[in-house]
Amino acid sequence: MAARSAPSCHLRLEWVYGYRGHQCRNNLYYTAAKEIVYFVAGVGVVYSPREHRQKFYRGHSDDIISLALHPERVLVATGQVGKEPYICVWDSYTVQTVSVLKDVHTHGIACLAFDLDGQRLVSVGLDSKNAVCVWDWKRGRMLSMAPGHTDRIFDISWDLYQPNKLVSCGVKHIKFWSLCGNALTPKRGVFGKTGDLQTILCLACARDELTYSGALNGDIYVWKGINLIRTIQGAHTAGIFSMNACEEGFATGGRDGCIRLWDLTFKPITVIDLRETDQGYKGLSVRSVCWRGDHILVGTQDSEIFEIVVHERNKPFLIMQGHCEGELWALAVHPTKPLAVTGSDDRSVRIWSLVDHALIARCNMEEPIRCAAVNVDGIHLALGMKDGSFTVLRVRDMTEVVHIKDRKEAIHELKYSPDGTYLAVGCNDSSVDIYGVAQRYKKVGECAGSLSFITHLDWSSDSRYLQTNDGSGRRLLYRMPGGKEVTSKEEIKAVHWASWTCVSGLEVNGIWPKYSDTNDINSVDGNYVGQVLVTADDYGVVKLFRYPCLRKGAKFRKYIGHSAHVTNVRWSHDYQWVISIGGADHSIFQWKFIPERKLKDALHIAPQESLAESNSDESDSDLSDVPELDSEIEQETQLTYHRQVYKEDLPQLKEQCKEKQKSATSKRREHAPGNSIRLHFIHGYRGYDCRSNLFYTQIGEIVYHVAAVGVIYNRQQNTQRFYLGHDDDILCLAIHPLKDFVATGQVGRDPSIHVWDTETVKPLSILKGYHQYGVCAVDFSADGKRLASVGIDDSHTIVLWDWKKGEKLSVARGSKDKIFVVKMNPYVPDKLITAGIKHMKFWRRAGGGLIGRKGYIGTLGKNDTMMCAVYGWTEEMAFSGTSTGDVCIWRDIFLVKTVKAHDGPVFSMHALEKGFVTGGKDGVVALWDDSFERCLKTYAIKRADLAPGSKGLLLEDNPSIRAISLGHGHILVGTKNGEILEVDKSGPITLLVQGHMEGEVWGLATHPYLPICATVSDDKTLRIWDLSPSHCMLAVRKLKKGGRCCCFSPDGKALAVGLNDGSFLMANADTLEDLVSFHHRKDIISDIQFSPGSGKYLAVASHDNFIDIYNVVSSKRVGICKGATSYITHIDWDTRGKLLQVNTGAKEQLFFEAPRGKKQTIPSVEVEKISWASWTSVLGLCCEGIWPIIGEVTDVTASCLTSDKMVLATGDDLGFVKLFRYPAKGKFAKFKKYVAHSTHVTNVRWTYDDSMLVTLGGADMSLMVWTNEMESYREKKSCDSEESDIDSEEDGGYDSDVTRENEISYTIRALSTNIRPMLGVKPHLQQKEPSVDERPPVSRAPPQPEKLQSNNVGKKKRPIEDLVLELAFGYRGRDCRNNVHYLNDGDDIIYHTASVGILHNVATGTQSFYQEHNDDILCLTVNQHPKFINIVATGQVIQQTCQLQPHLCTSGMR
C-alpha cells in the first residue's frame, strides 16, 4: 500500500522570501487596499505591511517577468516566459484568475500596460519582432497586433490624455503608436539634434502630447508629438530604469541608487540617495519605483523592497529581501529552532526566522556558497564553497571558527554526524572527506569509492555509517570514520539512518518517474514521523510522497511556484514547515505542512489554495491503484482516428500531380454520366465509440450520426433526411436547448464543428482552427449561444465558442488522457465540466482561458474513469457515471457520495426535471429520483420485449447502452451494437434503426430479382436487408467467423458466403440455414461469384492467391486457377460462364478458363469485345479512367456496372462514391463524386433493376442506399454531387483577358527584382559632394550612420519644401472590377489608382486623395447603409515576407 496512493497530508504555501529585481522593471505597486503587489519566480505576491501577511497568485506555469496594475488598483496583469507564454489578469483581493490571454506571443511577455479606463491591455512579446498586441482582456480577445521593433522593447504605456495612442521604447528607439480599427501604426521618435540617439529604458505620458522618457545615460528626454524638444541632462548619473507617474508628479529611479521626485512639469522636487541611507550599500541599483501620497516603494536589483516615507527619507524601511543574482543551492535548518540557513552564488549566507518571516542575520563570504549544515547543538554552521574550501562559522555572531581548503573542485554537500563528532564533506572530484569536530576539524578519513561527483550524504543514527549518492546514480556505504566501503547486503539492511536526503536507494525508488534521468531530482528529505517524503526537481515542482516509497512511479501530490530548478528542500526541525529554494529564481518558499486533513477541513481552504490544479495534484504516473479498465473502454481508448491521407490534403496532392495531369488532359476525356444518385436511407448508428449522440428534435424526429452523415429520422414515415456537410467520421453530436439546431464534430487534420438546422438541414456555422485530428465531445450552453468542444489531440484541448459569430472565446489544455464528455453548466454559462480517463475536472472561463480544478475525491472513492456527466438541480451539483458502475455526486469540486447504479460502466446519463435516467454496459435503463437515493424503475433491453412494429431484429439481450434521451413520452436508447431503440414507459421496446456492429464490413450482394441485399461483416454476422420502403433488417445469422464476401445464386435461392478463416458456406437465402460448406484455404476468402445462367459453378477467390471453382450440383471442387502473384481482390464471369476475369493486389488483370482454371492471355483489344455477366473489376482499359490522379495514395476498392452497361459506380479509400460513364477509357475520366462514407468504401452494388445503388463503408460499418436519378429527372432536382478533380480547356476554358489576370502575381515587388529595367542612376544616388546649403532629405528611414551626420553639424538650416498631390491621371482597370462608384448624389466619383484612393468632383474636375496605403490598391467598395454615409473600404497588396495581414483601410470620404 505504501506508495500506491498519494499521501493524504498536504502543503500550503505560507511565505515567499525574495523579489524579482533582476532583468525586470516597473513591477512593484500599491493596490487600492494599500497592499503591495509584486512577483517572484512564478508567483504573484500581495503583501499586507499592516498585517505582515502574504497572499499568492499561482496561475502561472513559469517565471513571471512583467506586471501592470489596473487603473482602479484592484486587478493585476502578469506575463510570463515560456514556449507558449500567457498573460493572467487576476484580482488582488481574492487572488483568483479573472482572465487568461494566450496563443499570440512566443518566448515571453516583456511589458504590459492598461489603458486609462482599464478596458484594454497592451502587451509586448519577446519574439524576434517584439510583437505589440492590444487586448480586450475581459473577453480574452486580441484586438490588434503589429511587429514592435527589431530590437528589445523595455517599456510601453498608453497615452492617458489621448485615446488610442501608445508609446513604446527600447534599444535605440522610441515609437509613437496610433490604434485605428484593428491596425496599430507606429511612427518613430525623431531625436534630431536635441539629444543623442540612445537606448530609452522607461517612459511616462503627460498632457499636451508630452512624453517623458528615461535614457541609458541618465538623461530625461522630453517629447512633443514624435519630436524630441528638450533633454534634462544629468537627472541621474547612470541609466534610469523606472519612471512612475502619479497625481503629484513623477518619480524616477536609476542605476545610481537615487530616487528623484519631479512635479507635473518635470521640475525637480527632491532627491533620495538610497546608498547614503542606513540600509544603503555601494552598488545599490533601483529597478522599480512607485509613488503614492507620502509613501514611495522601491525595488532593487538585489531583490530588496524598500518603503520610504517622504518626510523621513533617510530612514527607508526594508520590507523584503532575498538573495541576489547567482544560483541558490545551499540550504540547512537549525536542529532545535525554527530557523533556516541559505547560501548562494551571491556569496552571502543568510539566516531566516520561519516564525517571524524575516531575515535575522547575514554574512558575506569570499567565495560562492554551494552547501550548508548546522551541527547537532546548533552552535556551528559549516559552509561548502565553489572553490573546494569549506568554512565553519559560529551561529550566534557569524564569526569564523576555521577555514579549510583540501580540494580544488566545488563542495556540493556536507553533513555533521548525529553525535556531533564528525563532519562529512562531499566534493565534485568524487571524494568524501571526514573531519573530526573536536580536533579543530582535522581530517580523519576519506571515502574514495565513487566514480562521479558527490550529490548527497546521510549518516546512520549511531554515526557509524555514511551513505553517499553520486552523479552516476550510484549509492555507496562506508564505515566511519575510516571510510571503508561496505558491500554486505545484510549489514546494509541493518543500518538505521538518522536522516534520508539521498535520491537513490530502495526506500526512495518510487520518487522516480518510470522514464527519467537520474539527475532530474535534486533533493529529497524524509519525515519519519509523518511517514512522508518531500522532493525537489528540475521542473520547478515540489512533490509529497508516502515514505518509504518503494515502487517506481509512485503516487504523489505536487506543488508549483518555483519557475525552474528547485535545488534543495528540507523539513524544519519540528516538521511544521517545508523549505524549498529555487536555483535560478533565487527565491525561498516556506510551505506549511498540514497532516491528514479531512474533507470537512478541505471545504475551508483559502481560495488561492484550490485555484490551480497544480497546487495539489495527484500524480498521473501509474494506474496501479485504479481497477482494471473495462474491456470496452480499453478498446475505445486504443482507437486512433489518424488518417494516412486527410481530405484536406487532397488539393495539395493534386497540385503535386499537375505534370501527370497535363499530359493526360491533352487527350479528350470522357464526360461524366448524365445520371446522378441521391442518398435515400442509411442502415447504421455510431455507438461503439460514441456516447450521448442521439436526441429527439423539436418536432419529434430523431437525430443521430453515422459515418460522415448527420441523420434525421422520421419514425412515423420511416424516412431519413441527411446533413452532408462533413467529409469524415462524425465523432460527437449535441442538440441545442430549443431542439432545433445540432452541433456535430468530425475527424480531420484541422477538424471542423458544424452547427446545422434540423429543419432545413443547412449549416448555420462552421468552426475550425483550434483542434487537431478530431473533435470528440461538444455541448451547447443553456442559452444556446455558446458551444464547448474537446479535441482528440494529445492535450485534449477544450475550446469555448460563440458559435454564431464563429469566434473562439476561450481555450485550455484538457488532459493528457482521453476526455469522453464535456457539459456546460445550465445555470452559469462560464462554467463547465469534463470527464474522462481518471479525470473529473471543473472549469470556469477566465477571458481567453479556462481555469480547471480537479474533482476532490477524498476518502469517499478512488480516482476512477468517468464515462458520462450531467449537472443537477443547482449550479453546484454535478453527477458523473464511472467505469465501475457507480454514480458520483459532486458539490462544487468535492465528491459528496457514490451510488451503485449498474453492473459495469455507466455509459450514458440524462437529467430530467425531477430525476435522472442512466444506461450502462449491463443493458439496463434505470430511472432515478432527483438525488439518486432511489431507483424508481428499470427497463432491461430484451428480445422478448420487442414490439411488433420493430424495424429489424435485436441481436442479443442486454446490449451495452451508449446513449439515452427522453422526450415525447418515450426513452430513446442507442446501443454499442449500432441499434436505436424506443422504450415506451409502459415496457414495450421498438427497434427503429440498426447497422453492423464493430468490425469492418466488406461483403455485399444484391438479389437477382428482389429489392433486397445481403451483407457480411467482421462482426461475425450475415444479414439480409429490405431496400423497399420498409427499410429494415429481414434476417440475421451469427457465423463462427467474420466474412468478407457473399453472393446470391442466379435464382436467388442460395447465398454463398466467404469467411475469414479460408472456408465458405452456402446457405438458404430465405432461412439462412446451411446447405453446404467447404474449407480448402487458410486465408481470407475475398470474393465469391456464381456463374451466370443456371449458376452451375461457383468461383471462390482467396488471399492465398488462388481461385477455386466448384460444381454447385455435385458439391465438388473442379478447378483451381493458379498464376496470380498476389491476393485476389475481384472476380467476374463472362456471360457464357466459360471465362473468369481476375484482379489481384499487385494490380494484375488475369483471365482463366472455367471450370478447369487454365490461365489465358487475351489482348486488351479483345477484352473489350467479351460480354461480361457482371463488372466489379477495377483494372483494364475499360475502366482506366476511374483511377484518380493521386492513385499512389488511394486505392479504388470496388466498382459495379449497371445492367444497361452505361454507368460505372466506384468506391475508394477516401470514402468517395463516384459515377463514371462506361467505358471509362483514357486516364482521369470525368465523374460525379458523393461524400457520405467516412473512409474506405469497401463495396458498391446496383440493385437488379439499377434503381438503387447500395454502398458499404468499411470502418464506418454503415450500409447506404442511394436512388439512381436518370438524366431527365435530374433537371428538376438540385444535385449534391461534386464534379471531377480536374477541368481541361475544352470545358469552356478561360477568356484570354481572364487567363492573363489569373496569372498576375502581386508579390514581384516583394522580391528584389524590378518590374521595369532602369538605366542610369537616380539623382539622389549619384555620387556628389553636398554643397554648403544642401541638407539630407527628411526620411522615414532609420537615421543615417554617424559618419554622414557629422558633416552637417552646426550648419544653417533651410526650410524643406513639401510636395502636395494635386492631380492623379489614371485608373486601375486592367485587373480590378467594380471599383468605380458615385458619391454625394452623383456629384463625386470615387475610384483608385496606384496606392491612392481618389475622390473626383465631376463639376469642377478637382480631386482629393486618401493616401494612407503604402502599396497598390486592388479593391474598393462603398458602404450603402444610410447610417454610414461616405464610408469607403480599400484593400492593398503587401509583401509576403511581412507577418501582418494585408491592409484593409476603412475611411470616410468627405
Side-chain angles (χ1 to χ4, degrees):
M1 169 66 195
R4 288 180 61 163
S5 61
S8 40
C9 47
H10 179 66
L11 297 180
R12 188 182 71 223
L13 187 57
E14 184 174 286
W15 200 263
V16 177
Y17 302 87
Y19 152 74
R20 171 96 186 217
H22 65 286
Q23 299 161 352
C24 289
R25 282 165 299 282
N26 305 326
N27 59 351
L28 183 60
Y29 296 100
Y30 283 111
T31 68
K34 297 190 177 162
E35 294 177 318
I36 295 165
V37 63
Y38 59 97
F39 58 81
V40 58
V43 178
V45 182
V46 182
Y47 170 66
S48 166
R50 282 199 306 266
E51 298 169 21
H52 189 55
R53 190 170 61 87
Q54 288 181 342
K55 293 183 289 190
F56 308 103
Y57 175 73
R58 290 199 282 160
H60 286 282
S61 59
D62 211 328
D63 263 336
I64 301 174
I65 56 165
S66 53
L67 182 147
L69 191 65
H70 191 274
E72 290 167 7
R73 305 199 350 248
V74 173
L75 296 177
V76 180
T78 42
Q80 69 168 60
V81 292
K83 193 172 153 200
E84 294 173 356
Y86 53 86
I87 300 159
C88 293
V89 180
W90 46 280
D91 187 313
S92 62
Y93 285 140
T94 62
V95 286
Q96 297 281 13
T97 310
V98 178
S99 184
V100 179
L101 315 173
K102 54 194 209 180
D103 299 332
V104 172
H105 292 295
T106 57
H107 301 84
I109 286 116
C111 341
L112 293 165
F114 283 100
D115 68 354
L116 179 61
D117 58 3
Q119 298 295 316
R120 292 174 298 181
L121 179 73
V122 65
S123 59
V124 177
L126 280 180
D127 53 286
S128 57
K129 291 194 165 61
N130 297 288
V132 175
C133 184
V134 177
W135 303 84
D136 174 345
W137 63 265
K138 280 185 184 161
R139 296 174 65 193
R141 213 175 100 218
M142 184 182 77
L143 299 175
S144 178
M145 186 179 178
H149 193 66
T150 49
D151 229 320
R152 269 294 298 273
I153 293 177
F154 291 130
D155 200 3
I156 192 160
S157 173
W158 290 85
D159 188 326
L160 303 180
Y161 302 95
Q162 297 182 81
N164 300 328
K165 300 280 184 194
L166 300 108
V167 190
S168 68
C169 64
V171 177
K172 298 205 168 173
H173 79 279
I174 183 165
K175 279 187 178 175
F176 298 85
W177 301 79
S178 59
L179 177 63
C180 181
N182 68 350
L184 265 173
T185 316
K187 287 185 177 170
R188 280 187 78 142
V190 180
F191 285 81
K193 296 286 171 279
T194 317
D196 296 335
L197 168 67
Q198 62 166 312
T199 295
I200 307 290
L201 295 170
C202 57
L203 54 84
C205 296
R207 294 179 187 281
D208 307 323
E209 289 189 59
L210 285 178
T211 305
Y212 299 100
S213 62
L216 190 58
N217 65 355
D219 292 352
I220 284 170
Y221 282 22
V222 186
W223 306 81
K224 174 95 174 177
I226 64 166
N227 296 300
L228 180 60
I229 54 167
R230 66 188 176 103
T231 62
I232 303 169
Q233 293 187 341
H236 289 262
T237 55
I240 302 172
F241 283 126
S242 181
M243 187 179 286
N244 180 247
C246 68
E247 293 93 15
E248 290 85 1
F250 300 88
T252 57
R255 180 177 279 171
D256 56 4
C258 290
I259 308 293
R260 294 199 72 154
L261 304 185
W262 313 78
D263 69 9
L264 291 166
T265 58
F266 239 93
K267 293 197 173 69
I269 301 173
T270 186
V271 182
I272 303 162
D273 189 343
L274 281 174
R275 293 183 184 180
E276 301 301 319
T277 59
D278 309 347
Q279 304 275 4
Y281 54 89
K282 190 183 169 194
L284 187 148
S285 168
V286 176
R287 300 300 293 229
S288 187
V289 59
C290 174
W291 180 13
R292 277 281 168 274
D294 60 346
H295 285 69
I296 300 164
L297 270 182
V298 180
T300 73
Q301 167 87 21
D302 289 347
S303 306
E304 296 134 338
I305 299 175
F306 292 98
E307 187 171 44
I308 303 167
V309 180
V310 177
H311 56 268
E312 292 179 359
R313 64 193 70 171
N314 294 328
K315 293 180 182 169
F317 180 64
L318 192 52
I319 286 177
M320 176 54 66
Q321 336 181 34
H323 280 279
C324 319
E325 219 165 342
E327 290 201 3
L328 173 60
W329 280 85
L331 171 65
V333 290
H334 195 282
T336 57
K337 294 177 184 168
L339 301 176
V341 181
T342 57
S344 149
D345 285 358
D346 68 3
R347 305 182 183 200
S348 72
V349 58
R350 303 177 189 227
I351 301 180
W352 310 86
S353 165
L354 303 180
V355 176
D356 300 332
H357 301 136
L359 178 69
I360 55 171
R362 170 181 174 163
C363 179
N364 287 342
M365 310 302 290
E366 297 293 313
E367 292 294 331
I369 302 160
R370 276 297 158 108
C371 55
V374 183
N375 75 344
V376 186
D377 50 15
I379 293 171
H380 284 185
L381 167 63
L383 303 170
M385 307 296 184
K386 206 173 176 180
D387 68 342
S389 66
F390 72 92
T391 302
V392 181
L393 305 176
R394 284 183 193 86
V395 173
R396 70 168 187 271
D397 56 5
M398 303 294 261
T399 53
E400 190 175 296
V401 177
V402 67
H403 177 82
I404 294 169
K405 186 169 194 281
D406 286 341
R407 298 285 169 192
K408 289 181 180 164
E409 290 189 42
I411 305 295
H412 193 77
E413 175 75 307
L414 40 72
K415 266 205 178 74
Y416 283 97
S417 63
D419 61 5
T421 315
Y422 303 110
L423 174 67
V425 179
C427 176
N428 272 8
D429 65 6
S430 70
S431 61
V432 181
D433 297 323
I434 312 298
Y435 296 88
V437 175
Q439 299 103 302
R440 275 195 65 77
Y441 293 90
K442 181 186 166 196
K443 187 170 172 182
V444 294
E446 184 179 332
C447 312
S450 283
L451 301 172
S452 181
F453 55 92
I454 305 298
T455 57
H456 304 85
L457 304 172
D458 280 309
W459 287 89
S460 63
S461 305
D462 56 10
S463 302
R464 288 176 52 203
Y465 295 93
L466 182 77
Q467 71 167 334
T468 67
N469 285 175
D470 62 25
S472 64
R474 284 179 72 207
R475 175 196 181 202
L476 296 172
L477 261 77
Y478 302 94
R479 276 197 200 90
M480 289 293 107
K484 188 168 186 255
E485 194 177 329
V486 180
T487 53
S488 152
K489 285 188 179 171
E490 280 69 33
E491 193 176 347
I492 294 170
K493 262 188 184 172
V495 178
H496 290 281
W497 299 101
S499 65
W500 192 290
T501 61
C502 284
V503 296
S504 300
L506 190 65
E507 287 88 334
V508 292
N509 255 349
I511 67 174
W512 295 96
K514 288 186 176 159
Y515 316 99
S516 70
D517 175 9
T518 39
N519 298 324
D520 282 355
I521 297 175
N522 298 314
S523 180
V524 165
D525 197 13
N527 172 348
Y528 294 160
V529 180
Q531 292 192 311
V532 278
L533 186 74
V534 64
T535 69
D537 65 29
D538 278 354
Y539 307 108
V541 180
V542 174
K543 291 179 182 171
L544 213 52
F545 292 87
R546 291 183 185 272
Y547 180 83
C549 188
L550 306 173
R551 281 179 51 182
K552 254 203 163 188
K555 291 301 196 71
F556 53 80
R557 291 188 182 279
K558 73 175 183 188
Y559 304 89
I560 64 167
H562 288 289
S563 52
H565 315 288
V566 186
T567 50
N568 216 328
V569 63
R570 287 288 177 270
W571 290 95
S572 63
H573 76 288
D574 55 0
Y575 300 117
Q576 268 201 62
W577 294 286
V578 168
I579 314 300
S580 62
I581 57 174
D585 59 41
H586 39 267
S587 59
I588 301 152
F589 282 40
Q590 180 178 331
W591 309 82
K592 180 80 175 162
F593 177 59
I594 300 165
E596 301 277 339
R597 63 171 186 188
K598 300 289 177 283
L599 184 68
K600 57 179 182 289
D601 304 331
L603 290 164
H604 306 298
I605 309 166
Q608 71 264 26
E609 191 185 311
S610 55
L611 165 69
E613 69 171 279
S614 54
N615 299 351
S616 170
D617 219 357
E618 296 216 354
S619 67
D620 306 317
S621 48
D622 189 9
L623 289 168
S624 57
D625 64 332
V626 172
E628 223 174 284
L629 273 184
D630 173 81
S631 58
E632 279 186 23
I633 303 169
E634 181 73 50
Q635 220 174 337
E636 195 177 321
T637 52
Q638 284 164 10
L639 284 175
T640 170
Y641 300 100
H642 291 250
R643 308 272 189 252
Q644 229 172 343
V645 178
Y646 287 92
K647 298 216 173 61
E648 294 111 301
D649 303 337
L650 293 183
Q652 209 178 341
L653 288 165
K654 285 173 192 162
E655 199 64 29
Q656 289 163 11
C657 301
K658 261 204 165 144
E659 289 311 307
K660 225 171 31 164
Q661 160 192 334
K662 275 179 186 161
S663 59
T665 51
S666 53
K667 306 175 197 129
R668 184 172 179 81
R669 295 187 300 146
E670 199 59 65
H671 278 297
N675 297 32
S676 63
I677 55 174
R678 191 166 49 82
L679 192 55
H680 178 60
F681 204 89
I682 303 180
H683 295 279
Y685 153 71
R686 181 134 187 171
Y688 73 94
D689 63 344
C690 298
R691 278 155 307 283
S692 306
N693 55 351
L694 175 64
F695 299 96
Y696 283 109
T697 66
Q698 217 173 37
I699 56 172
E701 294 182 314
I702 293 165
V703 64
Y704 60 96
H705 63 87
V706 61
V709 184
V711 184
I712 300 147
Y713 174 71
N714 184 314
R715 60 197 202 288
Q716 282 83 24
Q717 297 167 9
N718 194 28
T719 57
Q720 292 176 343
R721 293 180 297 127
F722 310 101
Y723 177 72
L724 295 167
H726 289 281
D727 60 10
D728 208 327
D729 269 332
I730 298 176
L731 294 182
C732 54
L733 180 147
I735 196 155
H736 190 277
L738 297 177
K739 309 251 188 272
D740 52 353
F741 302 155
V742 165
T744 42
Q746 72 164 63
V747 170
R749 192 181 295 286
D750 177 10
S752 56
I753 299 159
H754 293 228
V755 181
W756 45 280
D757 187 325
T758 56
E759 197 52 49
T760 62
V761 209
K762 288 201 164 52
L764 304 166
S765 181
I766 295 175
L767 314 170
K768 59 198 300 185
Y770 288 92
H771 291 298
Q772 276 179 304
Y773 311 127
V775 179
C776 63
V778 284
D779 192 42
F780 281 100
S781 60
D783 61 4
K785 290 179 181 171
R786 294 180 182 181
L787 184 75
S789 60
V790 179
I792 54 174
D793 54 288
D794 293 340
S795 307
H796 294 92
T797 307
I798 303 165
V799 182
L800 195 58
W801 307 85
D802 178 333
W803 64 265
K804 278 186 182 160
K805 292 181 185 167
E807 194 180 291
K808 174 216 70 162
L809 299 175
S810 302
V811 65
R813 289 180 178 166
S815 163
K816 65 178 194 302
D817 289 314
K818 184 150 186 184
I819 292 178
F820 293 126
V821 64
V822 61
K823 267 279 174 271
M824 294 192 66
N825 192 311
Y827 309 97
V828 185
D830 279 347
K831 286 187 175 180
L832 51 111
I833 46 179
T834 55
I837 301 272
K838 290 176 62 198
H839 167 103
M840 181 74 181
K841 227 166 186 182
F842 297 80
W843 302 84
R844 69 178 175 81
R845 184 182 173 214
L850 292 161
I851 304 294
R853 297 191 292 166
K854 273 199 165 179
Y856 182 81
I857 291 164
T859 53
L860 283 175
K862 47 192 178 297
N863 200 4
D864 214 337
T865 290
M866 304 291 168
M867 301 306 302
C868 54
V870 294
Y871 275 98
W873 60 91
T874 70
E875 65 171 272
E876 288 188 332
M877 295 304 291
F879 301 84
S880 63
T882 72
S883 59
T884 52
D886 293 339
V887 168
C888 295
I889 302 173
W890 305 82
R891 180 177 287 117
D892 192 25
I893 65 164
F894 300 103
L895 180 63
V896 183
K897 188 179 168 189
T898 62
V899 177
K900 186 72 181 167
H902 290 270
D903 293 331
V906 183
F907 280 127
S908 187
M909 192 184 279
H910 189 81
L912 313 171
E913 276 179 33
K914 289 183 180 173
F916 299 89
V917 57
T918 60
K921 187 182 176 179
D922 55 7
V924 173
V925 177
L927 285 170
W928 301 83
D929 66 3
D930 59 4
S931 55
F932 268 100
E933 281 172 9
R934 218 152 55 84
C935 180
L936 306 175
K937 192 163 185 184
T938 59
Y939 302 92
I941 307 294
K942 294 208 180 317
R943 282 177 283 199
D945 297 333
L946 266 198
S950 288
K951 303 279 183 287
L953 309 158
L954 201 57
L955 218 66
E956 58 187 27
D957 282 344
N958 301 331
S960 177
I961 294 172
R962 287 309 186 98
I964 283 189
S965 182
L966 270 82
H968 304 274
H970 295 92
I971 303 170
L972 203 53
V973 176
T975 74
K976 180 182 187 254
N977 296 349
E979 298 138 346
I980 296 177
L981 308 142
E982 198 170 50
V983 181
D984 192 281
K985 288 185 180 167
S986 59
I989 297 170
T990 313
L991 178 62
L992 301 174
V993 173
Q994 72 186 132
H996 276 280
M997 300 184 286
E998 199 171 359
E1000 292 199 2
V1001 193
W1002 283 77
L1004 171 66
T1006 48
H1007 196 279
Y1009 54 82
L1010 291 173
I1012 63 173
C1013 71
T1015 56
V1016 62
S1017 155
D1018 287 354
D1019 70 3
K1020 302 182 186 174
T1021 62
L1022 169 66
R1023 305 181 184 219
I1024 308 283
W1025 307 87
D1026 187 354
L1027 304 178
S1028 67
S1030 74
H1031 295 303
C1032 66
M1033 188 171 80
L1034 298 171
V1036 60
R1037 174 188 160 179
K1038 287 193 175 177
L1039 306 167
K1040 63 179 190 298
K1041 284 275 184 272
R1044 285 284 170 108
C1045 56
C1046 58
C1047 180
F1048 280 102
S1049 61
D1051 60 5
K1053 288 180 180 167
L1055 180 59
V1057 182
L1059 303 180
N1060 292 350
D1061 63 351
S1063 67
F1064 75 92
L1065 57 89
M1066 276 171 59
N1068 181 314
D1070 297 326
T1071 62
L1072 297 188
E1073 287 168 4
D1074 269 11
L1075 298 174
V1076 63
S1077 69
F1078 296 92
H1079 197 158
H1080 285 136
R1081 296 285 164 211
K1082 291 185 180 138
D1083 221 331
I1084 294 173
I1085 303 297
S1086 53
D1087 201 0
I1088 195 162
Q1089 295 281 359
F1090 281 97
S1091 62
S1094 62
K1096 182 179 178 185
Y1097 296 111
L1098 179 67
V1100 181
S1102 81
H1103 274 206
D1104 290 351
N1105 307 1
F1106 299 114
I1107 299 110
D1108 297 314
I1109 300 175
Y1110 294 84
N1111 183 316
V1112 175
V1113 181
S1114 65
S1115 299
K1116 285 196 170 71
R1117 180 162 62 169
V1118 292
I1120 302 175
C1121 308
K1122 301 174 182 172
T1125 62
S1126 180
Y1127 58 91
I1128 312 299
T1129 57
H1130 305 84
I1131 49 178
D1132 285 308
W1133 290 90
D1134 74 335
T1135 43
R1136 299 174 304 130
K1138 302 281 188 191
L1139 190 66
L1140 274 175
Q1141 171 182 222
V1142 175
N1143 286 183
T1144 75
K1147 301 219 166 52
E1148 304 164 293
Q1149 184 187 23
L1150 306 172
F1151 301 95
F1152 296 94
E1153 225 172 41
R1156 293 283 162 257
K1158 191 180 174 196
K1159 192 174 175 186
Q1160 303 291 322
T1161 307
I1162 303 176
S1164 49
V1165 187
E1166 298 300 317
V1167 177
E1168 285 183 52
K1169 297 175 186 170
I1170 298 169
S1171 170
W1172 297 100
S1174 65
W1175 186 284
T1176 61
S1177 168
V1178 294
L1179 300 170
L1181 276 181
C1182 299
C1183 55
E1184 183 188 13
I1186 68 174
W1187 286 86
I1189 296 169
I1190 50 167
E1192 291 82 47
V1193 291
T1194 175
D1195 261 349
V1196 178
T1197 46
S1199 78
C1200 187
L1201 187 60
T1202 53
S1203 47
D1204 63 4
K1205 305 216 174 346
M1206 298 295 285
V1207 180
L1208 186 67
T1210 68
D1212 64 30
D1213 276 355
L1214 283 171
F1216 296 131
V1217 175
K1218 294 178 182 173
L1219 297 186
F1220 292 86
R1221 197 180 284 271
Y1222 185 84
K1225 291 185 186 175
K1227 286 194 172 178
F1228 317 134
K1230 295 198 176 175
F1231 55 80
K1232 290 182 175 166
K1233 176 172 82 174
Y1234 303 87
V1235 185
H1237 289 289
S1238 52
T1239 49
H1240 320 287
V1241 178
T1242 49
N1243 220 326
V1244 297
R1245 288 289 182 271
W1246 293 100
T1247 53
Y1248 71 98
D1249 58 357
D1250 296 340
S1251 63
M1252 285 179 272
L1253 176 71
V1254 187
T1255 61
L1256 278 186
D1260 63 37
M1261 299 154 331
S1262 61
L1263 171 72
M1264 299 196 184
V1265 183
W1266 310 72
T1267 51
N1268 183 6
E1269 298 184 344
M1270 304 302 168
E1271 212 157 347
S1272 55
Y1273 181 68
R1274 179 173 166 256
E1275 287 162 16
K1276 301 184 197 108
K1277 286 201 78 148
S1278 65
C1279 160
D1280 54 6
S1281 80
E1282 280 185 54
E1283 298 299 326
S1284 319
D1285 290 351
I1286 52 172
D1287 297 299
S1288 60
E1289 292 302 318
E1290 96 253 355
D1291 294 349
Y1294 279 141
D1295 167 87
S1296 59
D1297 276 0
V1298 181
T1299 306
R1300 186 173 55 79
E1301 188 177 328
N1302 196 33
E1303 287 166 0
I1304 288 179
S1305 165
Y1306 296 105
T1307 55
I1308 299 171
R1309 276 172 308 152
L1311 311 173
S1312 56
T1313 52
N1314 279 333
I1315 295 174
R1316 294 177 289 280
M1318 294 172 70
L1319 299 170
V1321 183
K1322 288 184 179 179
H1324 67 279
L1325 295 176
Q1326 288 169 1
Q1327 291 290 314
K1328 59 172 181 176
E1329 285 295 314
S1331 66
V1332 180
D1333 293 336
E1334 250 181 1
R1335 297 284 172 272
V1338 171
S1339 162
R1340 285 186 188 170
Q1344 295 173 327
E1346 295 295 326
K1347 223 180 242 177
L1348 292 175
Q1349 290 186 343
S1350 60
N1351 298 339
N1352 306 320
V1353 178
K1355 294 176 186 169
K1356 210 165 64 186
K1357 292 188 178 178
R1358 198 178 78 185
I1360 294 158
E1361 297 294 336
D1362 204 0
L1363 294 178
V1364 178
L1365 184 60
E1366 193 175 282
L1367 208 60
F1369 293 97
Y1371 152 70
R1372 180 122 184 181
R1374 66 193 163 93
D1375 59 351
C1376 299
R1377 281 160 306 286
N1378 304 330
N1379 57 348
V1380 179
H1381 295 270
Y1382 278 117
L1383 278 187
N1384 303 329
D1385 299 328
D1387 293 348
D1388 299 314
I1389 300 170
I1390 183 136
Y1391 61 96
H1392 62 87
T1393 185
S1395 65
V1396 183
I1398 302 170
L1399 188 69
H1400 185 94
N1401 187 289
V1402 179
T1404 62
T1406 54
Q1407 292 178 346
S1408 48
F1409 308 98
Y1410 179 77
Q1411 292 174 266
E1412 292 295 313
H1413 285 284
N1414 57 13
D1415 210 327
D1416 276 339
I1417 298 174
L1418 292 184
C1419 52
L1420 177 150
T1421 186
V1422 174
N1423 195 323
Q1424 306 292 344
H1425 196 283
K1427 193 172 162 189
F1428 302 104
I1429 297 170
N1430 296 346
I1431 298 292
V1432 177
T1434 44
Q1436 73 165 65
V1437 170
I1438 201 160
Q1439 293 185 2
Q1440 274 192 320
T1441 50
C1442 179
Q1443 276 195 328
L1444 289 178
Q1445 298 299 313
H1447 288 312
L1448 182 71
C1449 290
T1450 309
S1451 59
M1453 280 290 184
R1454 298 278 178 241

